[in-house]
Amino acid sequence: MQTLSDQSQLASALVALRAGGKRIALVPTMGALHAGHLSLVQEAKRQADHVVATIFINPLQFGQGEDLERYPRREKEDSAALKQAGCDLLWIPTPEQIYPAGFSTTVSVKDLGKHWEGEARPGHFDGVATVVTKLLNTVRPDVALFGEKDFQQLAVIRRLAVDLNLGVEILGVPTVRDCDGLALSSRNAFLSQDERARAVALPKVLRETAEAIADGKPVDPALTAARRVLNDAGFAPIDYVALVDAETLEPLRTAAGRMRLIAAAKIGSTRLIDNLAVEVRQ
Ligand code: PAF
């Protein structure tokens, strides 16, 4: 695996990878990699001839008082894990390459970024959309892969790729979970032993609530009960537990069509998010 920072070296390396019409898959990350990221690389290998990964902790997507400073940085381990997973090229851009002096362009996806994470973390999706556009424009992959754990982020990225004619296929990859159900996240490293034990209430209540709604339980009482369970487990504040349309991410008060149950809440000082598909039984 080649590891590059310099953008002109990256450009030459990409020309070499593309030679003979080979397909390139891109896996953008902020590092602190876990099995969820490596499953993106595995799927990328199925989708394309060559896999390019990026590690860039994007300051633009962190709000004031968020965890930019304490976000885990493990470049050496990440690089070894990507090499082992079969990644061909790792690009680690410098902040100056992504945001050169005078940088003043923002990519903003209006409706899809409005609710949920958009409300809880103002400016977050502008930061994500801007950096992802830059990464896609630089690497010009045939396909780019993102985890379904950040379900709203995935929807925002799909939208921008269509709206800006980026000519890239955006592929969502299912969430990877620990054996007790907790979704893998770089932020799980911040949980104390006690918080980690209690955090399992999040995937559990999502599963139970998704099943209750699938079985015909009215949506509002099901969501209220889910919030109570999370409160009892020590989650506070709960930013949202909502049933949404899987395409538009608009809230649903009755079950219909393709749906997603989404939630975000803090346990201690760590904010966790998760989501599940809901399918109404016939
Ligand atoms: O999901 C992430 O790790 C980040 O939001 C992404 C897509 C790499 C953009 O910085």
Side-chain angles (χ1 to χ4, degrees):
M1 182 181 77
Q2 236 183 320
T3 301
L4 297 173
S5 239
D6 182 85
Q7 211 156 326
S8 55
Q9 283 179 7
L10 173 75
S12 319
L14 288 169
V15 169
L17 288 184
R18 265 194 214 100
K22 296 276 196 271
R23 273 170 67 81
I24 292 185
L26 177 67
V27 178
T29 81
M30 295 205 299
L33 303 183
H34 49 65
H37 296 106
L38 301 180
S39 79
L40 299 179
V41 176
Q42 276 143 22
E43 185 55 36
K45 282 171 71 68
R46 282 190 282 273
Q47 296 289 330
D49 301 296
H50 296 298
V51 180
V52 177
T54 61
I55 297 179
F56 180 66
I57 302 179
N58 174 32
L60 218 63
Q61 69 188 76
F62 289 79
Q64 276 218 328
E66 290 191 349
D67 52 2
L68 174 60
E69 298 314 323
R70 73 166 183 160
Y71 199 84
R73 286 156 170 85
R74 294 199 299 254
E75 228 167 71
K76 218 168 127 211
E77 294 88 330
D78 289 345
S79 166
L82 287 167
K83 184 174 175 196
Q84 163 98 25
C87 179
D88 299 283
L89 174 57
L90 169 61
W91 179 34
I92 309 183
T94 60
E96 295 72 31
Q97 280 168 346
I98 300 292
Y99 302 120
F103 186 82
S104 51
T105 301
T106 302
V107 178
S108 192
V109 178
K110 274 191 285 193
D111 292 341
L112 280 167
K114 197 172 61 189
H115 294 308
W116 321 122
E117 289 304 288
E119 256 159 27
R121 305 181 66 188
H124 169 67
F125 283 129
D126 286 359
V128 170
T130 303
V131 79
V132 169
T133 303
K134 293 210 62 162
L135 297 173
L136 291 173
N137 262 333
T138 308
V139 176
R140 304 223 167 237
D142 299 279
V143 56
L145 298 95
F146 299 86
E148 284 185 349
K149 184 181 150 278
D150 294 294
F151 195 76
Q152 189 175 10
Q153 166 174 285
L154 178 60
V156 163
I157 293 169
R158 281 192 208 285
R159 187 73 254 165
L160 76 84
V162 171
D163 289 356
L164 300 178
N165 300 96
L166 295 185
V168 58
E169 182 191 354
I170 303 296
L171 208 69
V173 176
T175 303
V176 177
R177 297 177 181 278
D178 260 339
C179 45
D180 63 359
L182 186 68
L184 296 190
S185 162
S186 310
R187 292 187 168 94
N188 292 356
F190 302 143
L191 298 170
S192 69
Q193 220 179 346
D194 172 58
E195 287 163 355
R196 174 64 188 78
R198 284 183 291 123
V200 76
L202 179 59
K204 185 165 180 282
V205 79
L206 283 182
R207 220 169 36 244
E208 289 166 358
T209 308
E211 274 171 21
I213 293 172
D215 283 342
K217 181 166 177 171
V219 173
D220 281 349
L223 297 178
T224 306
R227 280 183 210 108
R228 198 172 320 116
V229 169
L230 289 177
N231 258 320
D232 292 347
F235 279 90
I238 296 168
D239 286 335
Y240 56 82
V241 178
L243 182 72
V244 300
D245 180 285
E247 304 278 314
T248 64
L249 297 184
E250 289 298 319
L252 294 172
R253 301 198 67 184
T254 52
R258 280 193 58 232
M259 296 170 284
R260 208 86 189 178
L261 187 61
I262 59 171
K266 254 186 167 179
I267 187 151
S269 60
T270 307
R271 188 169 180 277
L272 300 180
I273 65 172
D274 201 350
N275 68 83
L276 276 186
V278 181
E279 276 154 35
V280 173
R281 295 191 229 288
Q282 297 305 319

